Amino acid sequence: MANPEKNSSLYRLKLLLLIASLASIMFLLLAAFEENLSGEWRTHQQEYQRRMIEQADSAAARDAATNMGVGLKQIFLPQLKRVDRCITCHVGIDDPGQKDAPQPLAAHSGAMLKDHQTDKFGCTVCHEGQGRAITKDDAHGHVPHWAEPLLVGEQVYSSCGKCHYENDLYGAEYELYVRSTPLPPLDEAELNQSLPGVSNIQDHAIGRGKKLVLDSGCLGCHEYRGRGGNAGPEITYVGDKTPHDFDFKHFQGEHTVEAWMLEHFKKPDSVSPGTQMPDFELADRQARDLTAYMLSLKHKNMPASYTPVPNRRMGTPVQAPRLFAMLCSACHGKEGRGVSYFNDRNTSVPALRYISERLGLYDPEHAQAVIHLLESKADLAEVAQDPPFDADAYEEFLKQIKVMRDVIRNGRQGVKKDPQSPLTPLDMPSWKKTLSDEQIDAILTYLIGLYPWDEE
Amino acid sequence: MDSDKQANPRRVESPVSSRQAGDPGAIGAYLRNLRKVPTTFRDSLVRHGAPTSDRARSQTISNNFFLHVLSTRIHIQSLRFRTTLGLGIITLVQFLLLVVTGILLMVYYKPSVDLAYDSMKDIMFVVPTGRFMRNIHRWAAHGMVACVFLHMARVFYTSAYKRSREFNWVLGMILFVLTLGLSFTGYLLPWDQLAFWAITIGSNIAQSPRELTDALHMTQYLDIGGLQKEILLGAHYVGEEALIRFYVLHVMVLPLVITMIIVVHMWRLRKDGGLARPLEAIPPTPPSDPRGGSTKTWGLMCLVKKGKTAAVDKELGNTVSAFPSLLYALAALSMLTIAAMLALGYFYNAPLVELANPDVPENPAKAPWYFLGLQEMVSYSAFMGGVGIPAIVVLGLTLIPYLDREQEEVGQWFSGRRGRSVTIISLLFTTIVTIGMLAFTINLGWLRNWYPQIPQIVITFVNPGTVLMFLYSAWSIGMVRVMRSTRLGAIALFTCFLIGFVILTWFATVHRGPNWQFYWWPSMWPHS
């Protein structure tokens, strides 16, 4: 039934079918090409192969290099529930001969891979990023909807805290061995260590950060593993927090924990307006060290085979001067010298190096006698019957030391300097859960001994 | 054997028994047969020979298991693109694409909360053709939902639900609901934030009958909402049970059911006399059939062109052989659809955001686009917006062929001049009323803003969603009266539904931001 109209419409249909089929084939070919022939990683692997052939020092080595295939490579880590494909581009990462190769072929810097072999650890456990990806931006996590971008340089050391206990402020004993009340005593050695194999705490951002925390008294407001005040949030696992746990309303920069932390240390008021945290006028270097350190405070939830067990209590218990520095110096000043940054906060925080005056000890000999009494753990009430100096002065001393012990143990609500001002004054935290009575007396002893008798 | 031959010399000799070993005749036959295998195989496959005659062309279609779903002859009106816009075929082709890409995805996707997201990442990055197949799957899914809407609109506006085609319309509505179900169950599988929170919203909508039972203080005795949510999720939260449940529904149960109903839908189409098409200048069907349905009784295996019966000549004049016209039309349309989906899949990646995190809600958490209009109404009243209005709408749409039984020609777009006017004026009415209602609520609030103590049950029944539904119904019933035609009233109602759906979907997509507040553009959302 030859209908001329029908023929032309049939012709049109056939033409349409042809065009659509060719278009489909074209897209399939494009997709096949993209997958099998293009891809930056192929270029890198080919470059690596070329270098291998060039650097081959024997016929066998040259043969091996020539037969090297180009293909996707991955490190499969079921225990860590990860798959790291970084070595698809970073082919030479554990090849010592590639120390001078250009990135991404260069070998891993330093001696880190000696104890952290790539086939056991992979890469992302320390460097973060998106291990399953095979393009640069995706793999480095510099894409929307990936919350863990690549860590570079000093930032990488924050990952040590996932397995190692040395970076923790203190308390591995409490965490792993003895959950006692009162808390097991702190150890000088655990306060001085920062990273495994690092002897000088100042060598590393992490170590410097830890030292800053211990010297600046941050624990006065931020609790760590059961010790510390609660004016600010607990910092025991602050390195595990995500951007969702922070308030970026007043923050202009990138919405990452690191950026927030840095700004928080440099100018606390700008990220948390109205905060009680003072501006410590930290140098840039110090703020960065603190940030790196905070990010290293993580839960150790790697499998047991990855987490080295720390030694048990090692040595000298921490003494009063260090305790004071750790817990009190942020508000009361280093060595009790007082601070100026609360002047406009409607709070008065006493400079404790002068507590001898407060205790009614105007004579260095009186002070010495009291120090001796406290150190020998004598019963101060009993001694009142036979005081080392005049009875009235001792009476006054007894009254005041009772008040002081009480304030340290139970804390005290802040008193407004200016009753009209709406600013809330800082409270003195309660330390009875953290410090034993002996430790409180030791600190008081230390403070009494700080009085500058020589000054005018 | 030889003794047999002696006894009966006239007995036909069996070629096997009369030959002896080494006879060149048998080997010759074997080699001849071997050489002819391509021909004999082809002839065994296609027993009617080449399609060089009308009879052979008919048999190409009717003797083929897969092709005999088509009629052997096709009316030229049915072949015209304008008649149907090919939407049924496009939807079907997208479904087939979904099945093929879906099976490929099933090889690597793992339906467990620990593995699902990582398996998606692997599919996107390293599985051969993974990124491409997944993208095609996603775009064909959205495409299929969109085309189902468009196909429903086409069938409605060309009155193709009339004259004994009513039940096929009902089957179509069932397919519509199944398509939405397939899309919804598939949405959860990537297990990312988009998936998790969209399904959280969906499951809470399933729980929304509680709004009603709470107001009647009945929940402790009869908690339909809670039961629905538990059946959906297999738990009280969206987790591992929900994931595997949705997976089973998505890859096995719903595809089987929808395939079965597609088959019945096409069977019905054949039994209804083929695609609804406009009549031409031949007399209408003989009065012997009181139902007014098709009188085509071709159950034969083939049809000869030049016949002697009156009916044969009448319709035959405007039909052509399905082979090759229809096959080329179907092939071209299918290939165009496939090419379009391949192009979309090549250029645009389907979204995959962060791993699902129950502690971090998306704000705003939005359902998939085809449910956003519904989500807007849920923001007024959970029960009415999520269960009540959709049920009434689906029921209303399903009943259209039973409420509008005017005998008229099928296949005419908008049923003529009057229908066109009704469509346009209903479009204007719906636009004004819907946008007006939305503007009203944004600026002036609703009952709870003016009377904070008002009982929730009042709001359940009097809210912008129910008011709009009432206005659309009033408009269409008014149209029935004024125009004195149920068909024109149906056109008014359907147009209201379609335009209202589009406006509400657009509104909820673009103008609703965090906490479901109104924003002119997404760029104006506050950044937390």
Side-chain angles (χ1 to χ4, degrees):
Chain A
M1 184 153 156
N3 185 344
E5 260 181 57
K6 178 198 114 183
N7 273 347
S8 75
S9 76
L10 192 63
Y11 174 78
R12 271 203 304 272
L13 287 174
K14 289 184 182 177
L15 190 62
L16 213 53
L17 177 61
L18 179 68
I19 294 173
S21 307
L22 288 175
S24 303
I25 292 176
M26 178 185 81
F27 283 113
L28 288 168
L29 285 176
L30 278 174
F33 170 81
E34 191 189 40
E35 213 176 89
N36 293 299
L37 293 175
S38 73
E40 221 182 296
W41 60 268
R42 281 203 172 82
T43 319
H44 295 308
Q45 286 195 10
Q46 281 158 359
E47 172 66 20
Y48 181 72
Q49 187 178 25
R50 198 193 55 73
R51 291 178 70 92
M52 289 276 92
I53 293 175
E54 209 177 85
Q55 293 167 1
D57 50 7
S58 71
R62 197 167 303 119
D63 278 338
T66 319
N67 295 331
M68 193 185 292
V70 165
L72 287 172
K73 298 186 200 298
Q74 67 182 24
I75 305 173
F76 182 57
L77 303 160
Q79 276 200 308
L80 299 176
K81 297 201 179 60
R82 289 163 193 262
V83 177
D84 285 345
R85 301 188 174 118
C86 323
I87 53 173
T88 301
C89 286
H90 292 273
V91 209
I93 201 75
D94 47 8
D95 180 355
Q98 301 305 313
K99 283 256 178 281
D100 302 317
Q103 287 289 17
L105 302 176
H108 197 282
S109 57
M112 198 55 82
L113 291 192
K114 208 157 48 78
D115 298 310
H116 300 82
Q117 304 83 14
T118 48
D119 55 1
K120 183 173 177 208
F121 288 82
C123 321
T124 58
V125 126
C126 300
H127 288 273
E128 312 254 301
Q130 189 176 186
R132 285 177 193 258
I134 53 169
T135 48
K136 182 174 169 189
D137 282 341
D138 285 295
H140 292 189
H142 295 142
V143 286
H145 308 301
W146 188 261
E148 291 140 17
L150 192 69
L151 298 176
V152 289
E154 261 173 9
Q155 300 168 335
V156 188
Y157 292 99
S158 306
S159 299
C160 304
K162 287 182 191 166
C163 297
H164 292 284
Y165 281 91
E166 284 88 339
N167 72 305
D168 281 359
L169 215 50
Y170 50 75
E173 175 84 15
Y174 177 79
E175 195 67 16
L176 293 174
Y177 301 117
V178 182
R179 291 265 161 129
S180 64
T181 310
L183 301 164
L186 295 181
D187 209 278
E188 282 288 317
E190 69 181 324
L191 293 185
N192 289 337
Q193 62 187 1
S194 63
L195 288 174
V198 174
S199 47
N200 187 349
I201 202 175
Q202 299 277 39
D203 276 348
H204 240 285
I206 303 284
R208 291 193 295 268
K210 179 169 176 177
K211 187 160 193 320
L212 262 174
V213 171
L214 293 171
D215 289 347
S216 314
C218 309
L219 294 166
C221 293
H222 294 282
E223 184 181 314
Y224 182 91
R225 212 164 258 155
R227 291 182 165 87
N230 53 16
E234 197 185 327
I235 53 172
T236 320
Y237 301 115
V238 66
D240 278 335
K241 288 191 173 178
T242 66
H244 295 289
D245 301 307
F246 293 90
D247 185 1
F248 287 93
K249 245 199 318 272
H250 304 275
F251 187 71
Q252 264 74 47
E254 223 186 314
H255 284 207
T256 61
V257 176
E258 192 188 352
W260 193 96
M261 281 269 158
L262 198 58
E263 196 57 30
H264 168 74
F265 287 127
K266 294 212 272 231
K267 271 209 139 330
D269 219 30
S270 73
V271 286
S272 322
T275 181
Q276 287 179 326
M277 168 142 166
D279 181 357
F280 292 99
E281 279 159 22
L282 294 169
D284 210 44
R285 172 79 268 170
Q286 291 177 308
R288 253 193 266 284
D289 290 342
L290 277 173
T291 306
Y293 182 65
M294 286 296 130
L295 292 175
S296 76
L297 296 175
K298 298 181 193 273
H299 281 95
K300 326 266 172 225
N301 28 17
M302 293 291 147
S305 59
Y306 285 83
T307 315
V309 169
N311 295 328
R312 298 202 62 175
R313 235 174 297 138
M314 287 161 270
T316 355
V318 176
Q319 301 300 315
R322 193 144 199 199
L323 279 175
F324 181 82
M326 270 168 67
L327 304 173
C328 322
S329 62
C331 295
H332 290 284
K334 293 206 199 300
E335 295 175 346
R337 287 167 198 266
V339 295
S340 58
Y341 34 68
F342 290 125
N343 289 346
D344 56 352
R345 301 255 179 158
N346 204 13
T347 298
S348 61
V349 183
L352 295 177
R353 81 199 294 241
Y354 302 108
I355 61 164
S356 297
E357 285 175 22
R358 197 56 186 279
L359 291 168
L361 305 167
Y362 297 104
D363 192 324
E365 279 168 18
H366 292 187
Q368 268 309 111
V370 158
I371 287 176
H372 179 74
L373 278 176
L374 288 169
E375 277 174 353
S376 62
K377 301 200 189 4
D379 184 341
L380 295 176
E382 262 183 44
V383 173
Q385 279 140 30
D386 181 22
F389 43 86
D390 66 284
D392 290 328
Y394 191 80
E395 199 68 34
E396 180 63 21
F397 160 73
L398 206 54
K399 199 166 80 174
Q400 291 304 329
I401 195 126
K402 212 157 162 272
V403 168
M404 268 184 216
R405 277 170 168 171
D406 195 57
V407 166
I408 298 179
R409 252 212 300 269
N410 300 317
R412 178 165 67 181
Q413 239 189 345
V415 175
K416 283 188 176 181
K417 242 176 21 192
D418 169 13
Q420 308 299 336
S421 163
L423 285 174
T424 334
L426 221 54
D427 295 335
M428 164 75 179
S430 132
W431 293 100
K432 63 173 178 255
K433 286 213 203 83
T434 306
L435 296 171
S436 63
D437 286 345
E438 284 90 12
Q439 284 176 313
I440 293 178
D441 278 354
I443 290 178
L444 285 169
T445 312
Y446 162 69
L447 290 171
I448 295 172
L450 280 179
Y451 192 89
W453 296 108
D454 316 324
E455 281 172 21
E456 228 337 84
Chain B
M1 290 288 136
D2 276 34
S3 58
D4 261 12
K5 196 164 143 202
Q6 301 290 4
N8 190 355
R10 308 254 309 272
R11 187 175 176 282
V12 172
E13 289 181 33
S14 134
V16 173
S17 61
S18 65
R19 303 276 194 243
Q20 282 149 28
D23 190 322
I27 296 291
Y30 169 77
L31 288 173
R32 257 197 322 275
N33 291 343
L34 192 60
R35 245 200 343 258
K36 286 210 271 183
V37 161
T39 316
T40 46
F41 183 78
R42 183 200 69 200
D43 291 343
S44 76
L45 193 61
V46 183
R47 291 181 289 190
H48 47 74
T52 46
S53 67
D54 258 2
R55 177 194 175 111
R57 278 192 276 270
S58 294
Q59 284 181 316
T60 309
I61 304 288
S62 57
N63 280 13
N64 183 305
F65 176 79
F66 299 102
L67 292 178
H68 90 289
V69 65
L70 305 168
S71 164
T72 55
R73 293 197 73 81
I74 184 98
H75 201 279
I76 50 175
Q77 292 278 32
S78 300
L79 275 178
R80 273 174 68 221
F81 186 68
R82 251 175 289 172
T83 310
T84 60
L85 300 178
L87 285 164
I89 292 298
I90 295 177
T91 311
L92 179 65
V93 167
Q94 284 174 329
F95 177 66
L96 293 173
L97 264 177
L98 285 167
V99 169
V100 170
T101 53
I103 291 175
L104 290 173
L105 288 170
M106 273 173 78
V107 175
Y108 283 99
Y109 171 78
K110 300 167 186 70
S112 148
V113 299
D114 297 320
L115 302 173
Y117 186 74
D118 284 339
S119 68
M120 293 299 296
K121 285 283 180 185
D122 281 342
I123 287 171
M124 291 300 279
F125 286 125
V126 294
V127 166
T129 76
R131 182 192 80 94
F132 197 33
M133 292 300 133
R134 187 209 165 202
N135 290 345
I136 295 172
H137 195 79
R138 187 87 168 206
W139 303 128
H142 287 322
M144 187 178 171
V145 173
C147 286
V148 152
F149 271 101
L150 293 172
H151 177 64
M152 176 168 70
R154 191 286 294 170
V155 170
F156 175 82
Y157 283 116
T158 54
S159 320
Y161 56 82
K162 290 183 180 278
R163 278 221 247 165
S164 82
R165 291 174 192 264
E166 303 95 339
F167 189 66
N168 216 12
W169 170 267
V170 174
L171 286 175
M173 289 302 299
I174 295 176
L175 287 172
F176 169 67
V177 171
L178 285 173
T179 306
L180 292 179
L182 271 167
S183 199
F184 185 66
T185 47
Y187 210 77
L188 178 66
L189 302 185
W191 201 252
D192 66 349
Q193 283 283 73
L194 272 181
F196 184 88
W197 293 103
I199 268 58
T200 303
I201 290 175
S203 65
N204 285 331
I205 290 176
Q207 198 185 42
S208 65
R210 269 201 189 159
E211 189 183 333
L212 212 56
T213 54
D214 279 348
L216 303 171
H217 303 290
M218 267 171 52
T219 310
Q220 55 183 151
Y221 308 114
L222 185 65
D223 186 10
I224 306 170
L227 189 65
Q228 274 182 182
K229 183 173 176 180
E230 263 186 63
I231 289 178
L232 196 65
L233 298 181
H236 292 292
Y237 56 92
V238 180
E240 57 279 356
E241 294 295 336
L243 184 59
I244 195 116
R245 196 166 283 226
F246 274 45
Y247 180 72
V248 169
L249 282 172
H250 185 75
V251 309
M252 189 172 77
V253 176
L254 289 176
L256 282 176
V257 173
I258 207 176
T259 304
M260 205 167 62
I261 305 215
I262 289 175
V263 165
V264 180
H265 192 62
M266 298 185 115
W267 168 270
R268 272 269 161 169
L269 198 57
R270 288 292 307 276
K271 289 298 175 193
D272 290 343
L275 291 176
R277 59 182 181 275
L279 286 181
E280 61 273 90
I282 55 170
T285 48
S288 58
D289 190 331
R291 276 190 334 259
S294 162
T295 53
K296 193 172 85 173
T297 55
W298 301 331
L300 303 173
M301 281 295 108
C302 77
L303 181 71
V304 179
K305 184 180 67 168
K306 291 180 176 44
K308 291 227 162 52
T309 48
V312 169
D313 248 357
K314 290 252 176 346
E315 287 212 37
L316 213 46
N318 287 315
T319 62
V320 291
S321 180
F323 181 98
S325 314
L326 179 60
L327 291 186
Y328 272 108
L330 292 177
L333 192 58
S334 311
M335 218 38 165
L336 276 170
T337 312
I338 290 173
M341 291 299 128
L342 289 184
L344 283 174
Y346 182 76
F347 288 115
Y348 299 107
N349 278 347
L352 187 66
V353 302
E354 295 90 345
L355 176 66
N357 187 346
D359 297 326
V360 180
E362 291 269 289
N363 190 4
K366 288 194 174 179
W369 67 268
Y370 42 86
F371 281 152
L372 273 177
L374 208 138
Q375 194 174 348
E376 174 68 23
M377 291 196 293
V378 165
S379 73
Y380 308 137
S381 154
F383 174 71
M384 247 356 207
V387 177
I389 292 178
I392 292 171
V393 165
V394 168
L395 187 65
L397 287 172
T398 311
L399 286 179
I400 283 178
Y402 301 94
L403 298 174
D404 165 35
R405 300 190 74 78
E406 277 167 24
Q407 290 298 315
E408 66 169 47
E409 303 159 10
V410 299
Q412 194 187 18
W413 277 91
F414 304 110
S415 306
R417 196 180 43 83
R418 291 215 306 166
R420 266 199 296 278
S421 322
V422 168
T423 311
I424 291 174
I425 203 172
S426 302
L427 194 155
L428 288 169
F429 169 77
T430 314
T431 311
I432 292 169
V433 154
T434 315
I435 295 183
M437 189 55 136
L438 290 169
F440 179 91
T441 356
I442 300 294
N443 289 306
L444 297 169
W446 196 250
L447 290 171
R448 185 138 335 264
N449 297 96
W450 317 320
Y451 308 105
Q453 303 305 320
I454 200 170
Q456 181 61 23
I457 191 98
V458 177
I459 298 187
T460 304
F461 288 105
V462 183
N463 62 65
T466 51
V467 170
L468 279 176
M469 202 171 62
F470 170 76
L471 288 171
Y472 297 163
S473 316
W475 173 259
S476 71
I477 291 177
M479 194 63 73
V480 172
R481 256 198 86 169
V482 164
M483 299 300 245
R484 282 192 279 266
S485 156
T486 49
R487 166 65 177 164
L488 294 175
I491 288 182
L493 186 65
F494 191 88
T495 309
C496 287
F497 155 71
L498 199 63
I499 303 302
F501 177 87
V502 168
I503 294 179
L504 285 173
T505 305
W506 165 270
F507 187 78
T509 310
V510 177
H511 298 301
R512 287 292 189 194
N515 302 323
W516 214 249
Q517 295 300 313
F518 173 78
Y519 291 91
W520 280 108
W521 298 113
S523 52
M524 298 162 93
W525 291 1
H527 293 282
S528 58

